[in-house]
Amino acid sequence: MLDAERQSLLRKLPAVDAVLRGPAARLAERHGRAATAAAVREVLEGLRREIASGGSPDVSGEAVAGGAARLLSGRGLRRVVNATGVVLHTNLGRAVLSEHAAEAAVRAATRYSNLEYDLSSGRRGSRYDHAVPLLRQLTGAEDALVVNNCAGATLLALSALAGDGEEGPPEVVVSRGQLIEIGGGFRIPEVLELSGVTLREVGTTNRTRLSDYERALSGRTSAILWVHPSNFEIRGFTEAVGVSELATLGPPVVADLGSGALMPVGGEPLVQTAVREGAELVLFSGDKLLGGPQAGIAVGSARLVRRMRRHPLVRALRADKLCLAALEATLRAYLEGRAEEEIPAQRMLREPAEELEARARRLASSVARAAPGLEVEVVPSVARSGGGTLPGHEIPSRAVRVSGTDPEALAARLRDAEPPVVGWVHEGSLLLDVRTLLPGDEEAVVEALRGAVRG
Ligand SMILES: *Cc1c(COP(=O)(O)O)cnc(C)c1O
């Protein structure tokens, strides 16, 4: 391209202010003037580079505003409507807090609290003490500790055990069937290495017997680690040893449960059962089946919990006050028998398909009215627990199926709505599962589809 043409295109680039007052005015209302201005500048910068390297892009104010809108829509944490039917959707924030838990977090955030203050003595207290009585009561364990997440709890527990070997470097015995990767790169063998303990593998991928464990024990054994293979299942010729049998062997059993169910759901191991069966430490997540905030919870013997609490890593893994407040409120719901109706994850996992049918019908007829031209019907669907819990467990559910248009294009438009709606494309249609819709989400789905057909 000639220099003159290049210069002329560069001169045509609109001024930031002009875009903000004109085509990006609505955008600035939605995202704030400062953020929108920054996005507009970024788009203009990109256009300048493109022109400099010989391109001739659209330099209209509308094009610049469109580019800024695309930048802004992908940025910042926003509310999203989860119509995937995956209850603990890791990419969509895993567990949704109950109203009570959210209120408790807001209170802790906007007021001072006795986070590390003992109100009876007027002296320094510990943030780790608040949830302990609740966790003891719920699980039957002697003591408890809450850290940032279950990955952290596992790292801390194993690190705290690393000093336990009597003859040389301490060993932790694990079945080869439980050397898993949880997701996000969290692999049990690597965590063991990081903790300074030696991994002693026993058994095979599909079969491990009690005698395999027995043979591996020595004076160096600091613990037997039992890991819940959370996100996959082995079927067929399999054999595994449960916590109760392992507890007869002598060394402390550390059970990494992950999912953290306090109430029966789909055969997931219960925390209180692992405690009763003799695990000296049980580790689980706060935002999986428990349905609370992101947290890693360790319950178990006073001896091992004390060691975890005294380990230097605890400071690096500590849970913040918002999390602790929300967790306390979540645990209280279980203790008071309100969890099934109060905790969103529990409610969603348990809602019978017949009730969903009624909700799906209402939604389908609202959608049909708002978006004429689309084919809308209620269909049976399969919801899932997600978040590395209940693998392969299919929950009968109901979805609104939208067809009569390109499903991928429709899905993209719904993701572009405010709030974005995330469904899933299945066999040439877009499915919107109602199991994971929260109060107010139905209206958002209807509006998103209304906007999508209007173009
Ligand atoms: C999910 C999971 C973890 C990690 O929990 P986060 O709270 O996500 O850190 C650890 N162990 C097991 C067995 C898990 O399933």
Side-chain angles (χ1 to χ4, degrees), residues 94 148-152 154 180 182 186 188 227-231 256-259 283-288 294-296 387-389:
R94 221 133 89 173
N148 178 60
N149 59 13
C150 188
T154 308
I180 60 166
I182 280 121
F186 186 82
I188 292 295
V227 187
H228 177 36
S230 317
N231 45 15
D256 179 9
L257 293 190
S259 54
L283 314 170
F284 58 103
S285 205
D287 58 346
K288 289 186 180 173
Q294 178 190 306
T389 65

Side-chain angles (χ1 to χ4, degrees), residues 6-344:
R6 212 173 287 173
Q7 290 303 334
S8 139
L9 255 185
L10 284 172
R11 268 196 303 276
K12 279 198 194 122
L13 282 174
V16 176
D17 259 343
V19 181
L20 285 177
R21 267 182 282 113
R26 294 250 328 261
L27 209 57
E29 268 170 47
R30 197 204 269 192
H31 296 277
R33 196 184 150 84
T36 309
V40 167
R41 269 187 218 104
E42 198 174 326
V43 173
L44 288 171
E45 203 44 56
L47 291 174
R48 259 182 224 110
R49 273 197 305 272
E50 204 177 327
I51 296 167
S53 57
S56 45
D58 182 353
V59 295
S60 66
E62 285 70 27
V64 173
R70 277 191 294 281
L71 279 182
L72 287 166
S73 79
R75 272 181 206 168
L77 211 46
R78 290 161 69 194
R79 169 191 167 191
V80 163
V81 172
N82 176 6
T84 64
V86 180
V87 176
L88 299 167
H89 199 303
T90 304
N91 303 141
L92 302 182
R94 221 133 89 173
V96 170
L97 291 184
S98 71
E99 295 284 336
H100 281 141
E103 282 162 18
V106 168
R107 214 160 34 241
T110 55
R111 299 280 165 176
Y112 291 107
S113 65
N114 61 339
L115 179 67
E116 293 191 349
Y117 186 76
D118 181 346
L119 286 167
S120 59
S121 68
R123 298 224 185 89
R124 192 197 157 94
S126 166
R127 71 175 61 216
Y128 301 113
D129 290 345
H130 301 291
V132 172
L134 296 168
L135 285 165
R136 287 181 49 175
Q137 236 180 309
L138 282 164
T139 67
E142 266 180 348
D143 202 356
L145 178 66
V146 180
V147 292
N148 178 60
N149 59 13
C150 188
T154 308
L155 177 65
L156 177 61
L158 294 170
S159 304
L161 281 163
D164 244 10
E166 284 156 24
E167 304 159 17
E171 282 182 353
V172 168
V173 180
V174 194
S175 159
R176 288 195 173 89
Q178 297 179 351
L179 291 174
I180 60 166
E181 171 171 327
I182 280 121
F186 186 82
R187 294 172 152 190
I188 292 295
E190 288 168 11
V191 178
L192 282 160
E193 197 182 321
L194 205 59
S195 317
V197 296
T198 304
L199 165 63
R200 182 71 204 265
E201 303 176 21
V202 298
T204 61
T205 306
N206 56 331
R207 303 193 72 153
T208 306
R209 304 185 186 83
L210 193 63
S211 55
D212 294 323
Y213 285 96
E214 260 170 331
R215 268 201 308 280
L217 299 184
S218 73
R220 290 172 59 187
T221 309
S222 68
I224 298 170
L225 180 63
W226 187 92
V227 187
H228 177 36
S230 317
N231 45 15
F232 72 98
E233 274 178 320
I234 301 186
R235 290 187 210 187
F237 188 57
T238 65
E239 187 171 347
V241 186
V243 167
S244 57
E245 282 178 276
L246 293 179
T248 63
L249 294 178
V253 175
V254 176
D256 179 9
L257 293 190
S259 54
L262 291 177
M263 293 196 306
V265 46
E268 279 286 302
L270 294 177
V271 175
Q272 56 272 42
T273 306
V275 171
R276 200 178 53 240
E277 288 183 347
E280 203 174 326
L281 268 183
V282 181
L283 314 170
F284 58 103
S285 205
D287 58 346
K288 289 186 180 173
L289 291 174
L290 189 71
Q294 178 190 306
I297 304 166
V299 300
S301 72
R303 179 181 81 95
L304 288 187
V305 173
R306 194 183 316 116
R307 286 179 70 155
M308 288 176 72
R309 204 177 279 146
R310 287 182 181 164
H311 194 279
L313 256 184
V314 80
R315 176 64 180 80
L317 298 170
R318 84 178 182 189
D320 88 310
K321 61 186 178 184
L322 275 63
C323 151
L324 292 171
L327 180 64
E328 231 185 277
T330 304
L331 294 173
R332 205 155 268 132
Y334 281 92
L335 214 49
E336 305 298 336
R338 292 184 271 110
E340 262 180 64
E341 74 254 33
E342 190 175 309
I343 311 280

